[in-house]
Amino acid sequence: MRDTDPRMRIITHAIERLIPARTPAFVSVAVSETVPGTRGIRGSWTGTPADVAERVYTALYGRPTTATAPEASPLEQAHQAKRNRDLAGEVGALMSAGTALESAPWYPVRPGDLVHVHYEAAGQTPAFGETYLIGPEDGGLMSMRLLAHTLPDEESAAGGMIGCFAVEAADDPIYELWVEAGPHRLTIVRDGRPVHTGRG
């Protein structure tokens, strides 16, 4: 889909960053033509950074696809690009994931934040979720500890994946989860309020 293509996101973010300390929802782009010898602007266009990104993307890569497909995590997008021998797409998927994380208004995570990840059903494993707690560690680092999960005990014993995103001490404990599971699968709660609800 258009909004999940990492190249489209990179172009959009590059346009939004033309204004330091911007609020992306309020950024617009104005293009005007002033012909010498006339008394004013002869033509103009106004749109959003996403409008401009779509025009640039189309000029570089062709029309964005609008086919509906399951949303992929940044890591899955990078693997797909690698299979397609698309080095720019592979690097772009990972870079845009980092950019999206670091430009989120709630970033960075703080001690006390709850991070919930939802996994879709796969094979014999039913859909389930995990909830992690962000905590402080020595030296200004943070941990992310598993609090609970909804996978039945017999499934979790066989799967061995429960708690795989737990982190003992890191500058950015959520990064691996953000890239591997994908932001669309995450819900982040701070002070009892959701600050990120994925795309669901």
Side-chain angles (χ1 to χ4, degrees), residues 1-10 12-13 50 54 57 64-69 71-72 77 96 100 183-184 199:
M1 291 177 67
R2 243 179 249 202
D3 62 334
T4 62
D5 189 304
R7 294 171 293 190
M8 183 76 83
R9 283 190 299 231
I10 289 169
T12 303
H13 289 298
E54 186 171 340
Y57 182 99
T65 178
T66 56
T68 56
E71 190 161 11
Q77 292 173 31
S96 65
H184 61 289
R199 297 218 176 114

mmCIF file with all atom_site columns, all heavy atoms in Angstrom, residues 1-10 12-13 50 54 57 64-69 71-72 77 96 100 183-184 199:
data_model
loop_
_atom_site.group_PDB
_atom_site.id
_atom_site.type_symbol
_atom_site.label_atom_id
_atom_site.label_alt_id
_atom_site.label_comp_id
_atom_site.label_asym_id
_atom_site.label_entity_id
_atom_site.label_seq_id
_atom_site.pdbx_PDB_ins_code
_atom_site.Cartn_x
_atom_site.Cartn_y
_atom_site.Cartn_z
_atom_site.occupancy
_atom_site.B_iso_or_equiv
_atom_site.pdbx_formal_charge
_atom_site.auth_seq_id
_atom_site.auth_comp_id
_atom_site.auth_asym_id
_atom_site.auth_atom_id
_atom_site.pdbx_PDB_model_num
ATOM 1   N N   . MET A 1 1   ? 0.828  -1.178 0.000  1.00 0.00 ? 1   MET A N   1
ATOM 2   C CA  . MET A 1 1   ? 0.000  0.000  0.000  1.00 0.00 ? 1   MET A CA  1
ATOM 3   C C   . MET A 1 1   ? 0.872  1.241  0.000  1.00 0.00 ? 1   MET A C   1
ATOM 4   O O   . MET A 1 1   ? 1.991  1.229  0.445  1.00 0.00 ? 1   MET A O   1
ATOM 5   C CB  . MET A 1 1   ? -0.912 0.007  1.225  1.00 0.00 ? 1   MET A CB  1
ATOM 6   C CG  . MET A 1 1   ? -1.986 -1.067 1.165  1.00 0.00 ? 1   MET A CG  1
ATOM 7   S SD  . MET A 1 1   ? -2.993 -1.104 2.652  1.00 0.00 ? 1   MET A SD  1
ATOM 8   C CE  . MET A 1 1   ? -3.816 0.454  2.497  1.00 0.00 ? 1   MET A CE  1
ATOM 9   N N   . ARG A 1 2   ? 0.292  2.321  -0.426 1.00 0.00 ? 2   ARG A N   1
ATOM 10  C CA  . ARG A 1 2   ? 1.020  3.556  -0.553 1.00 0.00 ? 2   ARG A CA  1
ATOM 11  C C   . ARG A 1 2   ? 1.723  4.003  0.720  1.00 0.00 ? 2   ARG A C   1
ATOM 12  O O   . ARG A 1 2   ? 2.881  4.303  0.732  1.00 0.00 ? 2   ARG A O   1
ATOM 13  C CB  . ARG A 1 2   ? 0.015  4.638  -0.887 1.00 0.00 ? 2   ARG A CB  1
ATOM 14  C CG  . ARG A 1 2   ? 0.187  5.281  -2.184 1.00 0.00 ? 2   ARG A CG  1
ATOM 15  C CD  . ARG A 1 2   ? -0.892 6.277  -2.329 1.00 0.00 ? 2   ARG A CD  1
ATOM 16  N NE  . ARG A 1 2   ? -1.757 5.785  -3.343 1.00 0.00 ? 2   ARG A NE  1
ATOM 17  C CZ  . ARG A 1 2   ? -2.568 6.508  -4.043 1.00 0.00 ? 2   ARG A CZ  1
ATOM 18  N NH1 . ARG A 1 2   ? -2.675 7.777  -3.786 1.00 0.00 ? 2   ARG A NH1 1
ATOM 19  N NH2 . ARG A 1 2   ? -3.296 5.994  -4.975 1.00 0.00 ? 2   ARG A NH2 1
ATOM 20  N N   . ASP A 1 3   ? 0.978  4.031  1.831  1.00 0.00 ? 3   ASP A N   1
ATOM 21  C CA  . ASP A 1 3   ? 1.544  4.584  3.050  1.00 0.00 ? 3   ASP A CA  1
ATOM 22  C C   . ASP A 1 3   ? 2.533  3.649  3.726  1.00 0.00 ? 3   ASP A C   1
ATOM 23  O O   . ASP A 1 3   ? 3.187  4.040  4.662  1.00 0.00 ? 3   ASP A O   1
ATOM 24  C CB  . ASP A 1 3   ? 0.431  4.956  4.033  1.00 0.00 ? 3   ASP A CB  1
ATOM 25  C CG  . ASP A 1 3   ? -0.391 3.758  4.459  1.00 0.00 ? 3   ASP A CG  1
ATOM 26  O OD1 . ASP A 1 3   ? -0.471 2.776  3.720  1.00 0.00 ? 3   ASP A OD1 1
ATOM 27  O OD2 . ASP A 1 3   ? -0.953 3.831  5.550  1.00 0.00 ? 3   ASP A OD2 1
ATOM 28  N N   . THR A 1 4   ? 2.643  2.398  3.279  1.00 0.00 ? 4   THR A N   1
ATOM 29  C CA  . THR A 1 4   ? 3.597  1.498  3.909  1.00 0.00 ? 4   THR A CA  1
ATOM 30  C C   . THR A 1 4   ? 4.883  1.360  3.102  1.00 0.00 ? 4   THR A C   1
ATOM 31  O O   . THR A 1 4   ? 5.802  0.708  3.543  1.00 0.00 ? 4   THR A O   1
ATOM 32  C CB  . THR A 1 4   ? 2.977  0.103  4.111  1.00 0.00 ? 4   THR A CB  1
ATOM 33  O OG1 . THR A 1 4   ? 2.636  -0.441 2.841  1.00 0.00 ? 4   THR A OG1 1
ATOM 34  C CG2 . THR A 1 4   ? 1.754  0.170  4.993  1.00 0.00 ? 4   THR A CG2 1
ATOM 35  N N   . ASP A 1 5   ? 4.955  1.945  1.918  1.00 0.00 ? 5   ASP A N   1
ATOM 36  C CA  . ASP A 1 5   ? 6.175  1.856  1.118  1.00 0.00 ? 5   ASP A CA  1
ATOM 37  C C   . ASP A 1 5   ? 7.234  2.720  1.776  1.00 0.00 ? 5   ASP A C   1
ATOM 38  O O   . ASP A 1 5   ? 7.047  3.925  1.949  1.00 0.00 ? 5   ASP A O   1
ATOM 39  C CB  . ASP A 1 5   ? 5.907  2.330  -0.316 1.00 0.00 ? 5   ASP A CB  1
ATOM 40  C CG  . ASP A 1 5   ? 7.092  2.045  -1.220 1.00 0.00 ? 5   ASP A CG  1
ATOM 41  O OD1 . ASP A 1 5   ? 8.210  2.497  -0.895 1.00 0.00 ? 5   ASP A OD1 1
ATOM 42  O OD2 . ASP A 1 5   ? 6.899  1.385  -2.254 1.00 0.00 ? 5   ASP A OD2 1
ATOM 43  N N   . PRO A 1 6   ? 8.365  2.126  2.169  1.00 0.00 ? 6   PRO A N   1
ATOM 44  C CA  . PRO A 1 6   ? 9.381  2.915  2.875  1.00 0.00 ? 6   PRO A CA  1
ATOM 45  C C   . PRO A 1 6   ? 9.916  4.081  2.061  1.00 0.00 ? 6   PRO A C   1
ATOM 46  O O   . PRO A 1 6   ? 10.252 5.120  2.615  1.00 0.00 ? 6   PRO A O   1
ATOM 47  C CB  . PRO A 1 6   ? 10.478 1.892  3.179  1.00 0.00 ? 6   PRO A CB  1
ATOM 48  C CG  . PRO A 1 6   ? 10.226 0.740  2.284  1.00 0.00 ? 6   PRO A CG  1
ATOM 49  C CD  . PRO A 1 6   ? 8.754  0.728  2.006  1.00 0.00 ? 6   PRO A CD  1
ATOM 50  N N   . ARG A 1 7   ? 9.978  3.935  0.744  1.00 0.00 ? 7   ARG A N   1
ATOM 51  C CA  . ARG A 1 7   ? 10.481 5.044  -0.086 1.00 0.00 ? 7   ARG A CA  1
ATOM 52  C C   . ARG A 1 7   ? 9.534  6.237  -0.012 1.00 0.00 ? 7   ARG A C   1
ATOM 53  O O   . ARG A 1 7   ? 9.982  7.385  0.050  1.00 0.00 ? 7   ARG A O   1
ATOM 54  C CB  . ARG A 1 7   ? 10.661 4.576  -1.523 1.00 0.00 ? 7   ARG A CB  1
ATOM 55  C CG  . ARG A 1 7   ? 11.752 3.520  -1.654 1.00 0.00 ? 7   ARG A CG  1
ATOM 56  C CD  . ARG A 1 7   ? 11.796 2.902  -3.019 1.00 0.00 ? 7   ARG A CD  1
ATOM 57  N NE  . ARG A 1 7   ? 10.587 2.114  -3.247 1.00 0.00 ? 7   ARG A NE  1
ATOM 58  C CZ  . ARG A 1 7   ? 10.423 1.304  -4.284 1.00 0.00 ? 7   ARG A CZ  1
ATOM 59  N NH1 . ARG A 1 7   ? 11.361 1.179  -5.190 1.00 0.00 ? 7   ARG A NH1 1
ATOM 60  N NH2 . ARG A 1 7   ? 9.317  0.614  -4.418 1.00 0.00 ? 7   ARG A NH2 1
ATOM 61  N N   . MET A 1 8   ? 8.229  5.964  -0.003 1.00 0.00 ? 8   MET A N   1
ATOM 62  C CA  . MET A 1 8   ? 7.250  7.047  0.113  1.00 0.00 ? 8   MET A CA  1
ATOM 63  C C   . MET A 1 8   ? 7.396  7.749  1.456  1.00 0.00 ? 8   MET A C   1
ATOM 64  O O   . MET A 1 8   ? 7.363  8.979  1.537  1.00 0.00 ? 8   MET A O   1
ATOM 65  C CB  . MET A 1 8   ? 5.839  6.474  -0.039 1.00 0.00 ? 8   MET A CB  1
ATOM 66  C CG  . MET A 1 8   ? 4.751  7.532  0.004  1.00 0.00 ? 8   MET A CG  1
ATOM 67  S SD  . MET A 1 8   ? 4.633  8.471  -1.523 1.00 0.00 ? 8   MET A SD  1
ATOM 68  C CE  . MET A 1 8   ? 3.620  7.331  -2.457 1.00 0.00 ? 8   MET A CE  1
ATOM 69  N N   . ARG A 1 9   ? 7.604  6.970  2.520  1.00 0.00 ? 9   ARG A N   1
ATOM 70  C CA  . ARG A 1 9   ? 7.757  7.579  3.838  1.00 0.00 ? 9   ARG A CA  1
ATOM 71  C C   . ARG A 1 9   ? 9.027  8.409  3.935  1.00 0.00 ? 9   ARG A C   1
ATOM 72  O O   . ARG A 1 9   ? 9.042  9.476  4.539  1.00 0.00 ? 9   ARG A O   1
ATOM 73  C CB  . ARG A 1 9   ? 7.740  6.491  4.920  1.00 0.00 ? 9   ARG A CB  1
ATOM 74  C CG  . ARG A 1 9   ? 6.326  5.973  5.207  1.00 0.00 ? 9   ARG A CG  1
ATOM 75  C CD  . ARG A 1 9   ? 6.329  5.107  6.421  1.00 0.00 ? 9   ARG A CD  1
ATOM 76  N NE  . ARG A 1 9   ? 7.198  3.969  6.209  1.00 0.00 ? 9   ARG A NE  1
ATOM 77  C CZ  . ARG A 1 9   ? 6.854  2.712  6.409  1.00 0.00 ? 9   ARG A CZ  1
ATOM 78  N NH1 . ARG A 1 9   ? 5.673  2.424  6.846  1.00 0.00 ? 9   ARG A NH1 1
ATOM 79  N NH2 . ARG A 1 9   ? 7.695  1.732  6.192  1.00 0.00 ? 9   ARG A NH2 1
ATOM 80  N N   . ILE A 1 10  ? 10.116 7.933  3.331  1.00 0.00 ? 10  ILE A N   1
ATOM 81  C CA  . ILE A 1 10  ? 11.374 8.686  3.366  1.00 0.00 ? 10  ILE A CA  1
ATOM 82  C C   . ILE A 1 10  ? 11.207 10.029 2.666  1.00 0.00 ? 10  ILE A C   1
ATOM 83  O O   . ILE A 1 10  ? 11.640 11.070 3.171  1.00 0.00 ? 10  ILE A O   1
ATOM 84  C CB  . ILE A 1 10  ? 12.516 7.868  2.727  1.00 0.00 ? 10  ILE A CB  1
ATOM 85  C CG1 . ILE A 1 10  ? 12.900 6.695  3.628  1.00 0.00 ? 10  ILE A CG1 1
ATOM 86  C CG2 . ILE A 1 10  ? 13.734 8.743  2.455  1.00 0.00 ? 10  ILE A CG2 1
ATOM 87  C CD1 . ILE A 1 10  ? 13.818 5.690  2.977  1.00 0.00 ? 10  ILE A CD1 1
ATOM 88  N N   . THR A 1 12  ? 8.388  11.679 2.160  1.00 0.00 ? 12  THR A N   1
ATOM 89  C CA  . THR A 1 12  ? 7.474  12.516 2.959  1.00 0.00 ? 12  THR A CA  1
ATOM 90  C C   . THR A 1 12  ? 8.202  13.126 4.147  1.00 0.00 ? 12  THR A C   1
ATOM 91  O O   . THR A 1 12  ? 8.085  14.330 4.405  1.00 0.00 ? 12  THR A O   1
ATOM 92  C CB  . THR A 1 12  ? 6.273  11.680 3.444  1.00 0.00 ? 12  THR A CB  1
ATOM 93  O OG1 . THR A 1 12  ? 5.604  11.111 2.317  1.00 0.00 ? 12  THR A OG1 1
ATOM 94  C CG2 . THR A 1 12  ? 5.287  12.536 4.224  1.00 0.00 ? 12  THR A CG2 1
ATOM 95  N N   . HIS A 1 13  ? 8.986  12.304 4.873  1.00 0.00 ? 13  HIS A N   1
ATOM 96  C CA  . HIS A 1 13  ? 9.716  12.826 6.036  1.00 0.00 ? 13  HIS A CA  1
ATOM 97  C C   . HIS A 1 13  ? 10.748 13.870 5.621  1.00 0.00 ? 13  HIS A C   1
ATOM 98  O O   . HIS A 1 13  ? 10.960 14.851 6.345  1.00 0.00 ? 13  HIS A O   1
ATOM 99  C CB  . HIS A 1 13  ? 10.394 11.689 6.804  1.00 0.00 ? 13  HIS A CB  1
ATOM 100 C CG  . HIS A 1 13  ? 9.435  10.813 7.551  1.00 0.00 ? 13  HIS A CG  1
ATOM 101 N ND1 . HIS A 1 13  ? 8.627  11.276 8.557  1.00 0.00 ? 13  HIS A ND1 1
ATOM 102 C CD2 . HIS A 1 13  ? 9.145  9.494  7.425  1.00 0.00 ? 13  HIS A CD2 1
ATOM 103 C CE1 . HIS A 1 13  ? 7.898  10.290 9.032  1.00 0.00 ? 13  HIS A CE1 1
ATOM 104 N NE2 . HIS A 1 13  ? 8.184  9.195  8.351  1.00 0.00 ? 13  HIS A NE2 1
ATOM 105 N N   . ALA A 1 50  ? 2.652  14.703 1.805  1.00 0.00 ? 50  ALA A N   1
ATOM 106 C CA  . ALA A 1 50  ? 2.303  13.405 1.199  1.00 0.00 ? 50  ALA A CA  1
ATOM 107 C C   . ALA A 1 50  ? 1.935  13.569 -0.280 1.00 0.00 ? 50  ALA A C   1
ATOM 108 O O   . ALA A 1 50  ? 2.267  12.701 -1.102 1.00 0.00 ? 50  ALA A O   1
ATOM 109 C CB  . ALA A 1 50  ? 1.156  12.756 1.963  1.00 0.00 ? 50  ALA A CB  1
ATOM 110 N N   . GLU A 1 54  ? 4.059  11.781 -3.220 1.00 0.00 ? 54  GLU A N   1
ATOM 111 C CA  . GLU A 1 54  ? 3.460  10.906 -4.226 1.00 0.00 ? 54  GLU A CA  1
ATOM 112 C C   . GLU A 1 54  ? 3.895  11.297 -5.638 1.00 0.00 ? 54  GLU A C   1
ATOM 113 O O   . GLU A 1 54  ? 4.191  10.437 -6.467 1.00 0.00 ? 54  GLU A O   1
ATOM 114 C CB  . GLU A 1 54  ? 1.934  10.928 -4.127 1.00 0.00 ? 54  GLU A CB  1
ATOM 115 C CG  . GLU A 1 54  ? 1.286  9.932  -5.061 1.00 0.00 ? 54  GLU A CG  1
ATOM 116 C CD  . GLU A 1 54  ? -0.205 9.782  -4.829 1.00 0.00 ? 54  GLU A CD  1
ATOM 117 O OE1 . GLU A 1 54  ? -0.697 10.130 -3.745 1.00 0.00 ? 54  GLU A OE1 1
ATOM 118 O OE2 . GLU A 1 54  ? -0.878 9.294  -5.763 1.00 0.00 ? 54  GLU A OE2 1
ATOM 119 N N   . TYR A 1 57  ? 7.584  10.260 -5.911 1.00 0.00 ? 57  TYR A N   1
ATOM 120 C CA  . TYR A 1 57  ? 7.631  8.792  -5.984 1.00 0.00 ? 57  TYR A CA  1
ATOM 121 C C   . TYR A 1 57  ? 7.222  8.320  -7.380 1.00 0.00 ? 57  TYR A C   1
ATOM 122 O O   . TYR A 1 57  ? 7.877  7.460  -7.973 1.00 0.00 ? 57  TYR A O   1
ATOM 123 C CB  . TYR A 1 57  ? 6.690  8.205  -4.932 1.00 0.00 ? 57  TYR A CB  1
ATOM 124 C CG  . TYR A 1 57  ? 6.696  6.689  -4.884 1.00 0.00 ? 57  TYR A CG  1
ATOM 125 C CD1 . TYR A 1 57  ? 7.434  6.024  -3.930 1.00 0.00 ? 57  TYR A CD1 1
ATOM 126 C CD2 . TYR A 1 57  ? 5.960  5.938  -5.802 1.00 0.00 ? 57  TYR A CD2 1
ATOM 127 C CE1 . TYR A 1 57  ? 7.441  4.638  -3.874 1.00 0.00 ? 57  TYR A CE1 1
ATOM 128 C CE2 . TYR A 1 57  ? 5.975  4.551  -5.765 1.00 0.00 ? 57  TYR A CE2 1
ATOM 129 C CZ  . TYR A 1 57  ? 6.710  3.912  -4.803 1.00 0.00 ? 57  TYR A CZ  1
ATOM 130 O OH  . TYR A 1 57  ? 6.727  2.541  -4.765 1.00 0.00 ? 57  TYR A OH  1
ATOM 131 N N   . PRO A 1 64  ? 2.311  4.612  -7.309 1.00 0.00 ? 64  PRO A N   1
ATOM 132 C CA  . PRO A 1 64  ? 2.304  3.744  -6.121 1.00 0.00 ? 64  PRO A CA  1
ATOM 133 C C   . PRO A 1 64  ? 1.210  2.697  -6.255 1.00 0.00 ? 64  PRO A C   1
ATOM 134 O O   . PRO A 1 64  ? 0.136  2.978  -6.766 1.00 0.00 ? 64  PRO A O   1
ATOM 135 C CB  . PRO A 1 64  ? 1.979  4.700  -4.971 1.00 0.00 ? 64  PRO A CB  1
ATOM 136 C CG  . PRO A 1 64  ? 2.158  6.070  -5.502 1.00 0.00 ? 64  PRO A CG  1
ATOM 137 C CD  . PRO A 1 64  ? 2.013  5.994  -6.983 1.00 0.00 ? 64  PRO A CD  1
ATOM 138 N N   . THR A 1 65  ? 1.493  1.516  -5.774 1.00 0.00 ? 65  THR A N   1
ATOM 139 C CA  . THR A 1 65  ? 0.489  0.464  -5.830 1.00 0.00 ? 65  THR A CA  1
ATOM 140 C C   . THR A 1 65  ? -0.557 0.681  -4.752 1.00 0.00 ? 65  THR A C   1
ATOM 141 O O   . THR A 1 65  ? -0.231 1.146  -3.664 1.00 0.00 ? 65  THR A O   1
ATOM 142 C CB  . THR A 1 65  ? 1.123  -0.924 -5.678 1.00 0.00 ? 65  THR A CB  1
ATOM 143 O OG1 . THR A 1 65  ? 0.089  -1.892 -5.704 1.00 0.00 ? 65  THR A OG1 1
ATOM 144 C CG2 . THR A 1 65  ? 1.901  -1.068 -4.383 1.00 0.00 ? 65  THR A CG2 1
ATOM 145 N N   . THR A 1 66  ? -1.791 0.367  -5.057 1.00 0.00 ? 66  THR A N   1
ATOM 146 C CA  . THR A 1 66  ? -2.861 0.491  -4.079 1.00 0.00 ? 66  THR A CA  1
ATOM 147 C C   . THR A 1 66  ? -3.442 -0.874 -3.742 1.00 0.00 ? 66  THR A C   1
ATOM 148 O O   . THR A 1 66  ? -4.491 -0.979 -3.158 1.00 0.00 ? 66  THR A O   1
ATOM 149 C CB  . THR A 1 66  ? -3.987 1.406  -4.601 1.00 0.00 ? 66  THR A CB  1
ATOM 150 O OG1 . THR A 1 66  ? -4.446 0.893  -5.855 1.00 0.00 ? 66  THR A OG1 1
ATOM 151 C CG2 . THR A 1 66  ? -3.506 2.817  -4.770 1.00 0.00 ? 66  THR A CG2 1
ATOM 152 N N   . ALA A 1 67  ? -2.724 -1.914 -4.143 1.00 0.00 ? 67  ALA A N   1
ATOM 153 C CA  . ALA A 1 67  ? -3.208 -3.262 -3.839 1.00 0.00 ? 67  ALA A CA  1
ATOM 154 C C   . ALA A 1 67  ? -3.216 -3.471 -2.336 1.00 0.00 ? 67  ALA A C   1
ATOM 155 O O   . ALA A 1 67  ? -2.296 -3.081 -1.642 1.00 0.00 ? 67  ALA A O   1
ATOM 156 C CB  . ALA A 1 67  ? -2.305 -4.301 -4.488 1.00 0.00 ? 67  ALA A CB  1
ATOM 157 N N   . THR A 1 68  ? -4.282 -4.069 -1.852 1.00 0.00 ? 68  THR A N   1
ATOM 158 C CA  . THR A 1 68  ? -4.363 -4.317 -0.430 1.00 0.00 ? 68  THR A CA  1
ATOM 159 C C   . THR A 1 68  ? -3.664 -5.632 -0.108 1.00 0.00 ? 68  THR A C   1
ATOM 160 O O   . THR A 1 68  ? -3.897 -6.638 -0.742 1.00 0.00 ? 68  THR A O   1
ATOM 161 C CB  . THR A 1 68  ? -5.831 -4.375 0.047  1.00 0.00 ? 68  THR A CB  1
ATOM 162 O OG1 . THR A 1 68  ? -6.506 -5.370 -0.713 1.00 0.00 ? 68  THR A OG1 1
ATOM 163 C CG2 . THR A 1 68  ? -6.503 -3.036 -0.130 1.00 0.00 ? 68  THR A CG2 1
ATOM 164 N N   . ALA A 1 69  ? -2.795 -5.568 0.842  1.00 0.00 ? 69  ALA A N   1
ATOM 165 C CA  . ALA A 1 69  ? -2.051 -6.740 1.283  1.00 0.00 ? 69  ALA A CA  1
ATOM 166 C C   . ALA A 1 69  ? -1.857 -6.615 2.784  1.00 0.00 ? 69  ALA A C   1
ATOM 167 O O   . ALA A 1 69  ? -1.931 -5.520 3.322  1.00 0.00 ? 69  ALA A O   1
ATOM 168 C CB  . ALA A 1 69  ? -0.698 -6.797 0.578  1.00 0.00 ? 69  ALA A CB  1
ATOM 169 N N   . GLU A 1 71  ? -0.318 -5.847 6.181  1.00 0.00 ? 71  GLU A N   1
ATOM 170 C CA  . GLU A 1 71  ? 0.757  -4.915 6.503  1.00 0.00 ? 71  GLU A CA  1
ATOM 171 C C   . GLU A 1 71  ? 1.966  -5.686 7.013  1.00 0.00 ? 71  GLU A C   1
ATOM 172 O O   . GLU A 1 71  ? 1.835  -6.610 7.790  1.00 0.00 ? 71  GLU A O   1
ATOM 173 C CB  . GLU A 1 71  ? 0.276  -3.911 7.540  1.00 0.00 ? 71  GLU A CB  1
ATOM 174 C CG  . GLU A 1 71  ? 1.232  -2.780 7.735  1.00 0.00 ? 71  GLU A CG  1
ATOM 175 C CD  . GLU A 1 71  ? 0.578  -1.585 8.376  1.00 0.00 ? 71  GLU A CD  1
ATOM 176 O OE1 . GLU A 1 71  ? -0.545 -1.702 8.852  1.00 0.00 ? 71  GLU A OE1 1
ATOM 177 O OE2 . GLU A 1 71  ? 1.228  -0.539 8.384  1.00 0.00 ? 71  GLU A OE2 1
ATOM 178 N N   . ALA A 1 72  ? 3.115  -5.293 6.545  1.00 0.00 ? 72  ALA A N   1
ATOM 179 C CA  . ALA A 1 72  ? 4.354  -5.974 6.920  1.00 0.00 ? 72  ALA A CA  1
ATOM 180 C C   . ALA A 1 72  ? 5.150  -5.099 7.881  1.00 0.00 ? 72  ALA A C   1
ATOM 181 O O   . ALA A 1 72  ? 5.111  -3.878 7.801  1.00 0.00 ? 72  ALA A O   1
ATOM 182 C CB  . ALA A 1 72  ? 5.180  -6.277 5.673  1.00 0.00 ? 72  ALA A CB  1
ATOM 183 N N   . GLN A 1 77  ? 9.504  -5.946 5.370  1.00 0.00 ? 77  GLN A N   1
ATOM 184 C CA  . GLN A 1 77  ? 9.654  -5.124 4.162  1.00 0.00 ? 77  GLN A CA  1
ATOM 185 C C   . GLN A 1 77  ? 11.092 -5.171 3.662  1.00 0.00 ? 77  GLN A C   1
ATOM 186 O O   . GLN A 1 77  ? 11.338 -5.267 2.455  1.00 0.00 ? 77  GLN A O   1
ATOM 187 C CB  . GLN A 1 77  ? 9.251  -3.675 4.456  1.00 0.00 ? 77  GLN A CB  1
ATOM 188 C CG  . GLN A 1 77  ? 7.778  -3.484 4.742  1.00 0.00 ? 77  GLN A CG  1
ATOM 189 C CD  . GLN A 1 77  ? 7.473  -2.065 5.189  1.00 0.00 ? 77  GLN A CD  1
ATOM 190 O OE1 . GLN A 1 77  ? 8.140  -1.123 4.770  1.00 0.00 ? 77  GLN A OE1 1
ATOM 191 N NE2 . GLN A 1 77  ? 6.491  -1.907 6.047  1.00 0.00 ? 77  GLN A NE2 1
ATOM 192 N N   . SER A 1 96  ? 13.551 4.168  7.465  1.00 0.00 ? 96  SER A N   1
ATOM 193 C CA  . SER A 1 96  ? 12.288 4.864  7.697  1.00 0.00 ? 96  SER A CA  1
ATOM 194 C C   . SER A 1 96  ? 11.619 4.375  8.974  1.00 0.00 ? 96  SER A C   1
ATOM 195 O O   . SER A 1 96  ? 10.916 5.127  9.635  1.00 0.00 ? 96  SER A O   1
ATOM 196 C CB  . SER A 1 96  ? 11.353 4.722  6.503  1.00 0.00 ? 96  SER A CB  1
ATOM 197 O OG  . SER A 1 96  ? 10.956 3.386  6.320  1.00 0.00 ? 96  SER A OG  1
ATOM 198 N N   . ALA A 1 100 ? 10.537 6.900  11.777 1.00 0.00 ? 100 ALA A N   1
ATOM 199 C CA  . ALA A 1 100 ? 9.165  6.943  12.285 1.00 0.00 ? 100 ALA A CA  1
ATOM 200 C C   . ALA A 1 100 ? 9.142  6.813  13.804 1.00 0.00 ? 100 ALA A C   1
ATOM 201 O O   . ALA A 1 100 ? 8.392  7.508  14.492 1.00 0.00 ? 100 ALA A O   1
ATOM 202 C CB  . ALA A 1 100 ? 8.333  5.838  11.641 1.00 0.00 ? 100 ALA A CB  1
ATOM 203 N N   . PRO A 1 183 ? 5.251  -1.339 13.951 1.00 0.00 ? 183 PRO A N   1
ATOM 204 C CA  . PRO A 1 183 ? 4.491  -0.380 14.756 1.00 0.00 ? 183 PRO A CA  1
ATOM 205 C C   . PRO A 1 183 ? 2.981  -0.617 14.694 1.00 0.00 ? 183 PRO A C   1
ATOM 206 O O   . PRO A 1 183 ? 2.261  -0.277 15.619 1.00 0.00 ? 183 PRO A O   1
ATOM 207 C CB  . PRO A 1 183 ? 4.868  0.981  14.164 1.00 0.00 ? 183 PRO A CB  1
ATOM 208 C CG  . PRO A 1 183 ? 5.491  0.692  12.848 1.00 0.00 ? 183 PRO A CG  1
ATOM 209 C CD  . PRO A 1 183 ? 6.050  -0.684 12.916 1.00 0.00 ? 183 PRO A CD  1
ATOM 210 N N   . HIS A 1 184 ? 2.514  -1.224 13.602 1.00 0.00 ? 184 HIS A N   1
ATOM 211 C CA  . HIS A 1 184 ? 1.073  -1.463 13.461 1.00 0.00 ? 184 HIS A CA  1
ATOM 212 C C   . HIS A 1 184 ? 0.567  -2.523 14.423 1.00 0.00 ? 184 HIS A C   1
ATOM 213 O O   . HIS A 1 184 ? -0.632 -2.648 14.634 1.00 0.00 ? 184 HIS A O   1
ATOM 214 C CB  . HIS A 1 184 ? 0.759  -1.862 12.016 1.00 0.00 ? 184 HIS A CB  1
ATOM 215 C CG  . HIS A 1 184 ? 1.432  -3.121 11.559 1.00 0.00 ? 184 HIS A CG  1
ATOM 216 N ND1 . HIS A 1 184 ? 2.797  -3.174 11.327 1.00 0.00 ? 184 HIS A ND1 1
ATOM 217 C CD2 . HIS A 1 184 ? 0.958  -4.367 11.332 1.00 0.00 ? 184 HIS A CD2 1
ATOM 218 C CE1 . HIS A 1 184 ? 3.123  -4.406 10.958 1.00 0.00 ? 184 HIS A CE1 1
ATOM 219 N NE2 . HIS A 1 184 ? 2.030  -5.148 10.956 1.00 0.00 ? 184 HIS A NE2 1
ATOM 220 N N   . ARG A 1 199 ? -2.078 0.669  13.888 1.00 0.00 ? 199 ARG A N   1
ATOM 221 C CA  . ARG A 1 199 ? -2.960 1.101  12.795 1.00 0.00 ? 199 ARG A CA  1
ATOM 222 C C   . ARG A 1 199 ? -4.283 0.378  12.823 1.00 0.00 ? 199 ARG A C   1
ATOM 223 O O   . ARG A 1 199 ? -5.051 0.449  11.899 1.00 0.00 ? 199 ARG A O   1
ATOM 224 C CB  . ARG A 1 199 ? -2.262 0.836  11.472 1.00 0.00 ? 199 ARG A CB  1
ATOM 225 C CG  . ARG A 1 199 ? -0.999 1.648  11.342 1.00 0.00 ? 199 ARG A CG  1
ATOM 226 C CD  . ARG A 1 199 ? -0.816 2.146  9.934  1.00 0.00 ? 199 ARG A CD  1
ATOM 227 N NE  . ARG A 1 199 ? 0.349  2.998  9.886  1.00 0.00 ? 199 ARG A NE  1
ATOM 228 C CZ  . ARG A 1 199 ? 1.445  2.712  9.230  1.00 0.00 ? 199 ARG A CZ  1
ATOM 229 N NH1 . ARG A 1 199 ? 1.529  1.608  8.545  1.00 0.00 ? 199 ARG A NH1 1
ATOM 230 N NH2 . ARG A 1 199 ? 2.465  3.534  9.247  1.00 0.00 ? 199 ARG A NH2 1
#
